[in-house]
Amino acid sequence: MIVIENANQILTIPPGSTGPKRGWEMQDLGIIEKANIWIDNGKVVKISREKPEGEYEGIDAQGKIVLPGFVDPHTHPVFAGYRDFEFSLKLKGMSYEEITKMGGGINYTIKMTNESSYDEIFEQSSKRIRKMIEHGTLAAEAKSGYGVNVEREIMLLDIIRDLGEKYPIDLIPTFLLHFPPKNMDREKYIDEILKRMDVISKKAKFADVFCDSIAFNVIETKNFLTNAQKYGLKLRMHADEIEYIGCSSLGLKIHLKSVDHALKTPKTILRAYSKKDTVFVLLPGTPFMLFQKKYANARYMIENNIPVALGTDLNPNCYTENIQEIITLAVTQMKMSIEEAISAVTFNAAYSLDIHDKHGSIAPGRPANILIADVPSYTHFAYHFGINLIEKIIKDGKVVKI
Ligand code: NIG
Ligand code: FE
């Protein structure tokens, strides 16, 4: 038996009444003050102000807060090919599309990922996974996508599986149709992937498409996602990041667990999502690292009852493992409240990945995926920025040593 003792605040994060948290529900962190949490057999047993008795291992949380492990619902952690040198191009005013069209950007990472071995990619990606855990992420969606070549994509899914087995984090694998290959007809390429779907669907839980002006169009996206769904994969979509070409509108006709980015989504389309359980996964790190002024319209989404989650988008263009930094960006750049941002990186992120029975909330009977942060109040998130506030990590009831 472990008892986390005397926490200043426990953020229990109650689920939403319709599934994901929406509207005012995102403000409710279910805070219990000056209480203890009992953990046994990997699960939370009790949350109470009672004094613990008998034999137990105590973890002192006096003056600190306790919250559920963070869930990062959108990451691209398996790749080789850093793009630090692109900073100087961005500083000269080059856009993401221009860099990509020149053969840089995604193209560069695809080339490097194809030239690296399993071991090299595993090694690089391990460092990222460890950093995610250190910063409190205990579950994360992890996409393939920098292989493009279908066999390389399958290898990336294997790397994601092996990383999840080695480290104390639940990685949810997504097959991402990321970028059209250089030397192959696009339709033929999608067909080739669909022919390998029997294998892919055993290795991935979700299918995703980069649906945008520089990647796949709406017809290609629909073809791929509807076929992937027949193999039992659930669906997500990178939509309206660079331009609105109808991607989020397609999402109204097929069941998406998440619409991601949504930088350019028209308000009329957003309103149509108000009653759906599709979660909008906002990724403010991306416009931030592209030196853009315009962020997703989080306020409009929350006011219209659309469930919102936040993710890092960890990738070689937006290179951070730290979801706490994303809370700061969400509050300062998108005017989300701290409460909304915390709901967005816990329960709503978990809901978008269908892991909300295991992650995103603290309650008796649920697996103990818990963080202790060395701050007196949750309001230190966003405010005390640029550093790691997490002091102790408990994954499935065990204290993590990383
Ligand atoms: O989500 N937008 C598409 N994919 C990634 C970035 C890819 C890259 O720049 O390497 C994203 O931002
Ligand atoms: Fe992405």
Side-chain angles (χ1 to χ4, degrees):
M1 178 84 76
I2 293 179
V3 184
I4 303 175
E5 294 181 277
N6 219 355
N8 229 16
Q9 298 173 331
I10 298 171
L11 316 186
T12 61
I13 323 278
S17 57
T18 59
K21 291 163 89 78
R22 50 179 106 222
W24 66 267
E25 290 173 350
M26 290 187 68
Q27 294 288 350
D28 180 13
L29 300 181
I31 297 172
I32 303 174
E33 287 181 342
K34 306 263 188 276
N36 312 312
I37 302 180
W38 281 254
I39 298 168
D40 202 15
N41 274 327
K43 296 206 160 135
V44 172
V45 179
K46 185 166 71 169
I47 306 171
S48 156
R49 294 201 174 112
E50 275 168 41
K51 246 184 144 15
E53 283 171 1
E55 277 213 8
Y56 66 89
E57 178 194 334
I59 298 178
D60 184 22
Q62 176 122 31
K64 299 172 186 172
I65 72 161
V66 176
L67 68 159
F70 295 125
V71 179
D72 191 339
H74 184 133
T75 79
H76 306 248
V78 279
F79 64 84
Y82 299 113
R83 306 218 297 267
D84 41 312
F85 55 88
E86 280 179 6
F87 243 45
S88 56
L89 302 175
K90 291 192 235 174
L91 280 168
K92 285 192 188 110
M94 269 181 97
S95 72
Y96 185 67
E97 298 100 292
E98 284 164 339
I99 295 172
T100 310
K101 281 193 184 124
M102 256 177 45
I106 299 185
N107 292 302
Y108 176 78
T109 309
I110 291 168
K111 181 171 171 287
M112 297 304 287
T113 303
N114 276 284
E115 286 171 7
S116 306
S117 66
Y118 173 101
D119 287 346
E120 283 162 344
I121 302 170
F122 187 88
E123 206 42 52
Q124 278 203 23
S125 307
S126 289
K127 286 192 192 162
R128 297 176 197 125
I129 299 298
R130 291 166 66 98
K131 281 263 177 293
M132 285 165 83
I133 299 166
E134 272 170 38
H135 288 87
T137 297
L138 299 189
E141 187 252 20
K143 301 173 196 291
S144 72
Y146 290 111
V148 176
N149 169 290
V150 62
E151 298 314 319
R152 189 59 35 170
E153 287 292 308
I154 291 171
M155 180 178 118
L156 297 181
L157 290 173
D158 286 340
I159 294 178
I160 292 168
R161 177 199 58 214
D162 296 345
L163 288 165
E165 279 170 10
K166 179 159 180 195
Y167 296 104
I169 183 169
D170 292 324
L171 292 181
I172 315 301
T174 293
F175 181 94
L176 171 61
L177 181 68
H178 201 182
F179 212 62
K182 280 212 176 82
N183 307 316
M184 198 195 287
D185 174 73
R186 304 158 70 106
E187 219 170 296
K188 214 167 141 220
Y189 173 58
I190 295 174
D191 277 351
E192 203 164 272
I193 296 170
L194 292 174
K195 279 197 199 113
R196 298 288 277 145
M197 235 9 170
D198 52 337
V199 175
I200 291 168
S201 61
K202 290 195 185 82
K203 296 175 189 272
K205 290 244 158 22
F206 286 90
D208 183 0
V209 180
F210 183 14
C211 182
D212 218 309
S213 54
I214 63 164
F216 292 97
N217 66 33
V218 173
I219 295 168
E220 292 158 344
T221 302
K222 185 176 177 200
N223 174 25
F224 178 70
L225 289 182
T226 49
N227 277 297
Q229 196 171 32
K230 290 182 194 148
Y231 285 86
L233 293 179
K234 288 173 227 153
L235 311 180
R236 329 177 71 72
M237 194 198 285
H238 281 70
D240 316 344
E241 178 194 347
I242 296 160
E243 255 179 67
Y244 174 71
I245 58 163
C247 301
S248 53
S249 173
L250 166 65
L252 291 166
K253 293 173 212 122
I254 52 182
H255 183 238
L256 297 180
K257 288 297 292 180
S258 75
V259 170
D260 300 46
H261 285 288
L263 290 176
K264 305 279 166 69
T265 311
K267 286 183 174 172
T268 46
I269 305 284
L270 286 179
R271 284 200 299 275
Y273 277 95
S274 290
K275 290 195 174 63
K276 294 195 169 282
D277 78 338
T278 304
V279 176
F280 272 61
V281 173
L282 308 186
L283 308 162
T286 307
F288 182 69
M289 290 311 278
L290 291 171
F291 310 171
Q292 290 169 357
K293 297 269 175 304
K294 205 173 164 292
Y295 287 74
N297 199 344
R299 284 266 49 90
Y300 190 82
M301 294 177 196
I302 294 171
E303 276 152 25
N304 281 280
N305 285 322
I306 296 165
V308 168
L310 288 164
T312 56
D313 197 15
L314 165 59
N315 73 61
N317 173 62
C318 171
Y319 198 20
T320 184
E321 293 88 349
N322 183 2
I323 204 153
Q324 298 167 54
E325 197 63 36
I326 300 303
I327 296 177
T328 298
L329 288 178
V331 172
T332 59
Q333 307 303 307
M334 299 198 293
K335 309 286 182 285
M336 285 174 72
S337 69
I338 298 166
E339 294 82 359
E340 288 165 348
I342 292 175
S343 292
V345 295
T346 52
F347 192 81
N348 277 4
Y351 188 89
S352 84
L353 293 172
D354 242 342
I355 53 169
H356 48 292
D357 54 340
K358 293 199 186 76
H359 286 277
S361 183
I362 302 176
R366 295 175 62 96
N369 292 314
I370 290 177
L371 308 173
I372 300 177
D374 188 11
V375 291
S377 162
Y378 71 89
T379 47
H380 279 239
F381 282 112
Y383 160 68
H384 193 174
F385 73 101
I387 61 150
N388 186 7
L389 298 174
I390 302 306
E391 186 190 73
K392 247 199 178 77
I393 298 165
I394 296 167
K395 171 80 189 3
D396 291 318
K398 290 200 185 73
V399 177
V400 170
K401 293 197 178 47
I402 191 128

